[in-house]
Every structure is written in structure tokens, then in C-alpha cells.
Amino acid sequence: MKLIALLIVAALIVGAFFYFEKTRSDALARVANEIGFRFKAGQQTLPPALDKVGFYLFSQGSRQITNLMQGHKGDADIAVFGYFYDAGVGMEGQRELPNSNDDGEIQRRGQSVVWIHSESLRLPDFDLTPVRGAIRRVAQENHLQRVTFDGNRAFDEKYILTARDPAAIRALFNDDVQAFLVERPAFTFESRGNDILLYRDQERVAPARIPDLLNLAEAFVDRLSNAKKPAD
């Protein structure tokens, strides 16, 4: 009897999971249609154009994403999707499966991600993450240096900013850019030239809030575009 009860509970849990994911996918499809984006439901491979950029997030797990929205705004190509990876508690993930002899607890981490690509961006490489965020070895892995601002303690207490060219980043992160970031919830931003990524670690944004997430990403990129840039 106990085994039957356990099987029933397991079936109910699995059924609830698939119902939730189907409901979420349907809601995302409606949002994509409302904002004029294409939508592809379910799991799929990370687009090669995105994989080759070298964003740190995608070194944490497999090349699989879910529920891909794609569209255009001005000269920018924009995508929104879910990304999951497995990692030990208090540790980072990796492209390979976790070691089979790892006795630690494995977490499934999922987040909603915005990717913006524009040939006109040409931003310096940087990684911007909340001070109280998850462990990240991106600086060591990508040879980035910590950048701080003597006149803005609020920014330095909220974010860890690392970059390949600190001088270029200090010119780019002017007062307007810093104020914009301090006044809003802390997200992670990764910049690689013509590409920028936005997400909050382990947060899957509700479908109805996707337009707000896009507005935040676009507003940040607009401020970077208007800020003083280093000479090409």
C-alpha cells in the first residue's frame, strides 16, 4: 500500500509539473504575440550565434534553452528564453555533468534571460553582478579586473563590476548609468562587444512581466549607448 501511495504522489507531482510548464508556455506564447515576437515552445539548442559569444552564464550548464522568444527593435535583435543548469549548493555549474562521486546536494537553477545583439553597440567586455549574488569566477576565468567608483559608495555596495579595460568602463558607467542601476533591482549583466545579456540568478520571470524585463534591458542599453564610449 505504501508503494502504491508513493507512486500516486509521484504521478501527481509529475503531472502538476507538466501542467505548470504547459500553462507557462501558453502564457509566454500570448505575450510574444502581443509584443510582435516569434515564439518556439519547449526545449531547444542554444542558438549558435549566441553560444559563440562566450557569455559566462552558458558555461554553467548544457546548451539547452526553453521557450524562445525572438524579435527586432530598431537595429537590435532581441531574444528572451529560459536557461537551466545544475550545480552543487554554494557552487557553480559546469558544461559537463556533475561528478558522479560528488556527494553534495545538487540544485536545479533556472532563470529568464534577455539577449540583445546590435552591430552598433561595440561595448567593452564587462560583467556586472549583485554583491549578494551567487558565486561567480568569471573574473578569474576571463581575466577581468574589479572596477569601483570612489564617489559612489551606493553603487559599489550593490554591484560587483569587473572588466577587461577598467578605464573604458569608468568612462562608460557615467553618473546616469550608475544612478539607473542603483535605483532598480539588481540584475546580472554580461557584455561582449555587440552582445549583452541580462538575467537575475535563479529567477524565472512571470510571463506577464516579460515586457517589463525587456524595457529594463533596453533602457540600460540605451544609457550605455548614450554614455561616453572609448575610442575605437
Side-chain angles (χ1 to χ4, degrees):
M1 291 296 293
K2 287 185 178 179
L3 177 59
I4 294 174
L6 288 173
L7 290 173
I8 292 173
V9 170
L12 289 172
I13 291 173
V14 171
F17 170 78
F18 281 106
Y19 175 78
F20 172 81
E21 291 299 324
K22 179 63 166 61
T23 300
R24 178 179 174 84
S25 179
D26 290 345
L28 289 169
R30 289 192 295 270
V31 171
N33 183 64
E34 290 169 1
I35 63 177
F37 277 30
R38 304 182 304 280
F39 181 72
K40 185 177 180 182
Q43 183 170 289
Q44 52 221 269
T45 303
L46 190 71
L50 174 54
D51 192 23
K52 72 179 184 180
V53 173
F55 284 123
Y56 188 69
L57 175 64
F58 304 125
S59 69
Q60 304 298 295
S62 70
R63 294 178 174 86
Q64 300 300 308
I65 62 174
T66 63
N67 296 326
L68 175 63
M69 293 183 187
Q70 289 180 293
H72 305 278
K73 204 160 190 180
D75 68 346
D77 296 321
I78 304 174
V80 186
F81 51 88
Y83 183 71
F84 296 82
Y85 64 91
D86 295 325
V89 175
M91 302 179 68
E92 294 182 294
Q94 54 187 12
R95 269 277 164 103
E96 300 76 19
L97 292 174
N99 294 330
S100 58
N101 60 355
D102 186 353
D103 296 328
E105 181 183 349
I106 300 298
Q107 292 180 325
R108 183 69 167 165
R109 301 175 185 171
Q111 41 271 306
S112 300
V113 181
V114 177
W115 169 40
I116 296 179
H117 170 85
S118 172
E119 294 298 325
S120 65
L121 276 179
R122 292 180 293 177
L123 296 172
D125 289 0
F126 68 81
D127 185 90
L128 179 70
T129 191
V131 167
R132 294 175 179 82
I135 292 174
R136 288 172 63 81
R137 294 186 176 85
V138 61
Q140 298 94 311
E141 295 290 335
N142 291 281
H143 307 292
L144 306 179
Q145 302 176 50
R146 178 76 188 269
V147 179
T148 57
F149 298 91
D150 294 337
N152 195 343
R153 183 177 177 183
F155 181 89
D156 291 337
E157 289 180 345
K158 188 170 184 176
Y159 288 100
I160 296 174
L161 175 60
T162 58
R164 203 173 309 282
D165 185 344
I169 290 300
R170 288 194 179 92
L172 185 66
F173 277 66
N174 59 20
D175 291 343
D176 180 54
V177 170
Q178 292 180 51
F180 175 85
L181 291 166
V182 169
E183 292 166 3
R184 285 163 177 79
F187 283 79
T188 294
F189 295 87
E190 296 187 44
S191 168
R192 300 291 185 273
N194 297 323
D195 300 86
I196 196 160
L197 212 63
L198 159 69
Y199 56 95
R200 179 179 279 171
D201 189 58
Q202 301 185 61
E203 181 181 51
R204 297 180 75 190
V205 175
R209 289 178 48 220
I210 292 295
D212 294 334
L213 185 66
L214 284 170
N215 289 337
L216 174 65
E218 292 165 12
F220 179 63
V221 170
D222 285 344
R223 278 166 173 76
L224 292 179
S225 297
N226 293 330
K228 179 180 179 181
K229 298 180 180 179
D232 292 334

